[in-house]
Amino acid sequence: MQQVQSRLVAGPCDDDLELVRRARARDEGAIRAIMQANNRKLYRIARGILRNDSEAEDVVQETYVRAFTHLESFRGDSRLATWLARIAINEALGRRRRLRPTVDWTTLEPGVLNAQIIQFPVSAVSDDPEKTMAQREIQHIVEQAVDELPEAFRIVFITRVIEGMNVEETAELLDLKPETVKTRLHRARTMLRANVEKKVGPVMMEAFPFAGKRCARLTDAVLGRLGLTK
């Protein structure tokens, strides 16, 4: 444990330092590489705080603008990804304090709620509409359950489980003790499991659907074998 913590505190890897050096020289390739390596992590962390897709994407954009215009402040005391994540967390928390809860989204201009900054990869779409709908419903249930976790537990769950960061990395990022990270993750999993089980019941009633194309295909096949097709 102590060896891992020492390695984390020691600073970034050589690749981080080289990318930062090139980015300081306005090397487009280095800047793209940094963004591509951190887009999803920063988005998920910001999304975990704000629980709003478009606001989270704005945070990611602002994080990069702040980072790339202040690269001289990157001292190498932590990994580049951790440094960026801390900027994103601060930006998300500041944005949340500034948000007006009375904004009516129906009055916003068309397209404002859509992703405008960074296009994140989407899952492959199935050619079975019912299967796709079921997958989206399950995904929505899980995302909603994560959103409903108290913030202290939600951000730990996102960094540890969704982003796959280890205990020491999460503790360093969130300025927590490793024991606190473990405790909050356990609580988060318990709350999430209970919430998902409560929500998934009605959806499971529609599990293993047999309609749409599959139903029509089987029906046509049977009618064909019986000689009843037109």
Side-chain angles (χ1 to χ4, degrees), residues 57-74:
E57 291 188 11
D58 285 350
V59 165
V60 175
Q61 183 189 45
E62 186 64 26
T63 296
Y64 285 132
V65 171
R66 290 176 180 270
F68 291 133
T69 54
H70 296 86
L71 278 176
E72 69 281 355
S73 64
F74 178 70

Side-chain angles (χ1 to χ4, degrees), residues 77-133:
D77 297 327
S78 63
R79 295 186 306 122
L80 180 60
T82 301
W83 185 70
L84 290 170
R86 284 173 178 160
I87 296 175
I89 288 173
N90 290 333
E91 176 64 24
L93 291 173
R95 184 173 293 259
R96 188 183 62 182
R97 288 191 293 268
R98 297 191 300 269
L99 285 177
R100 292 179 297 174
T102 56
V103 172
D104 183 359
W105 65 268
T106 61
T107 65
L108 298 176
E109 292 294 327
V112 170
L113 298 180
N114 296 329
Q116 299 292 330
I117 309 304
I118 300 171
Q119 296 298 321
F120 296 93
V122 296
S123 302
V125 179
S126 169
D127 59 359
D128 185 337
E130 288 187 344
K131 182 177 180 180
T132 299
M133 184 177 298

Side-chain angles (χ1 to χ4, degrees), residues 209-220:
F210 197 85
K213 290 184 178 181
R214 288 193 296 170
C215 180
R217 185 168 60 247
L218 182 138
T219 302
D220 290 342

